[in-house]
Amino acid sequence: MNLLEVKNIIIHYGKVKAVKGVSMVLAEKSIVSLIGSNGAGKTTILRAIIGLKKPTTGEIWFARDRIDGRTPQEIAKMGIAYCLEGRRLFPLMTVYENLEMGAYLRKDKKEIKSDIDEVFKLFPILKERERQQAGTLSGGQQQMLAIGRALMTKPKLLLLDEPSLGLAPLIVQEIGLIIQDINRRGVSVLLVEQNSKLALRMAQRVYVLEVGAISLEGDCEELLKNDHVKRAYLGG
């Protein structure tokens, strides 16, 4: 069953058409990657899904409910979490306090504590630094914390915007393994990435966005063999 359906959305910034009739589907418990160059419209699509940017036309459906036009808070309560580009942590708050902030919509205190413990199992380095200010962590640790904070909403769907940005290759590989582990736990993932090798390696389905429109789509094996994808995104 499809968990997310984006149907022919058009999005404007003023008079500029940033997204031009994009349609996508994401099956339950899958990883879908959206790749493309800077300015292609990838982040704009994520912002529309989470309710931060209203499409001019088109529809967005999540778990059989139409969500375009709903507030970000309503959408978050339905089970979508958004891990923004650039981490966007609370730098003067501790690791533990940042995780607590991820659960701000929840009232189940015992389960919140249990879920923080689960995040620490997923990211053991965060447990070691739970009383450390988030702003003093390394880039990789901050990215782990940003993902962990998003998981504190108990999402069905996790939107990840450039999680590998600015990280060393070994840390990128570790983040990739963590994303796969999160998916194995039953969370669907929509991954926006400029690191196309990472995005293609992990996803069951891939969409290529160019100048606001989907130019190619298919499973990762299919797109890895595509000459245009090789030249434009894989350096081949």
Side-chain angles (χ1 to χ4, degrees):
M1 186 183 101
N2 289 331
L3 181 66
L4 177 75
E5 295 183 63
V6 176
K7 299 182 178 181
N8 197 33
I9 60 168
I10 295 173
I11 304 173
H12 286 83
Y13 285 102
K15 294 183 179 180
V16 177
K17 189 186 287 186
V19 174
K20 307 167 183 176
V22 164
S23 295
M24 302 168 52
V25 296
L26 184 147
E28 279 187 334
K29 299 180 181 179
S30 69
I31 300 177
V32 169
S33 290
L34 180 60
I35 66 173
S37 60
N38 268 339
K42 305 185 301 295
T43 294
T44 298
I45 291 171
L46 294 189
R47 286 171 58 82
I49 292 168
I50 200 64
L52 293 170
K53 182 68 179 173
K54 183 170 173 55
T56 309
T57 62
E59 300 176 1
I60 303 173
W61 291 76
F62 175 71
R64 297 181 178 175
D65 286 319
R66 186 171 175 179
I67 62 172
D68 54 283
R70 298 194 185 213
T71 67
Q73 184 172 345
E74 289 172 325
I75 293 170
K77 284 181 177 179
M78 294 174 72
I80 302 180
Y82 182 22
C83 189
L84 289 82
E85 179 184 349
R87 274 82 83 173
R88 309 289 180 88
L89 300 170
F90 299 102
L92 300 181
M93 296 173 68
T94 66
V95 166
Y96 198 94
E97 289 166 340
N98 268 271
L99 293 175
E100 286 182 315
M101 288 299 294
Y104 75 101
L105 289 175
R106 297 170 56 185
K107 307 297 181 188
D108 47 333
K109 290 186 178 180
K110 286 185 179 179
E111 282 195 39
I112 288 170
K113 174 64 170 64
S114 175
D115 287 341
I116 290 176
D117 290 339
E118 286 300 311
V119 169
F120 285 151
K121 288 178 186 176
L122 191 61
F123 305 104
I125 191 66
L126 296 184
K127 174 63 178 173
E128 295 176 22
R129 288 162 168 68
E130 64 178 307
R131 299 301 170 192
Q132 188 172 326
Q133 286 184 334
T136 65
L137 300 175
S138 70
Q141 292 162 6
Q142 287 187 14
Q143 186 61 70
M144 292 174 192
L145 179 54
I147 294 172
R149 185 179 62 183
L151 291 175
M152 288 302 299
T153 67
K154 296 182 78 72
K156 298 173 188 172
L157 171 61
L158 178 61
L159 309 179
L160 290 172
D161 196 353
E162 304 283 6
S164 75
L165 188 66
L167 301 181
L170 281 176
I171 303 299
V172 170
Q173 186 175 4
E174 186 176 356
I175 293 293
L177 292 172
I178 288 165
I179 293 169
Q180 290 176 315
D181 190 10
I182 290 167
N183 179 242
R184 280 192 290 270
R185 294 172 184 231
V187 179
S188 300
V189 178
L190 177 54
L191 174 65
V192 159
E193 260 296 345
Q194 276 193 285
N195 185 332
S196 301
K197 290 180 181 178
L198 175 69
L200 285 162
R201 188 174 72 240
M202 292 197 305
Q204 286 83 49
R205 187 163 189 80
V206 180
Y207 292 86
V208 180
L209 191 69
E210 296 181 337
V211 202
I214 300 293
S215 60
L216 289 167
E217 62 180 274
D219 63 48
C220 78
E221 293 297 327
E222 180 184 343
L223 290 189
L224 280 168
K225 297 173 185 175
N226 184 278
D227 288 338
H228 174 67
V229 171
K230 287 181 183 177
R231 287 193 306 269
Y233 300 103
L234 301 178

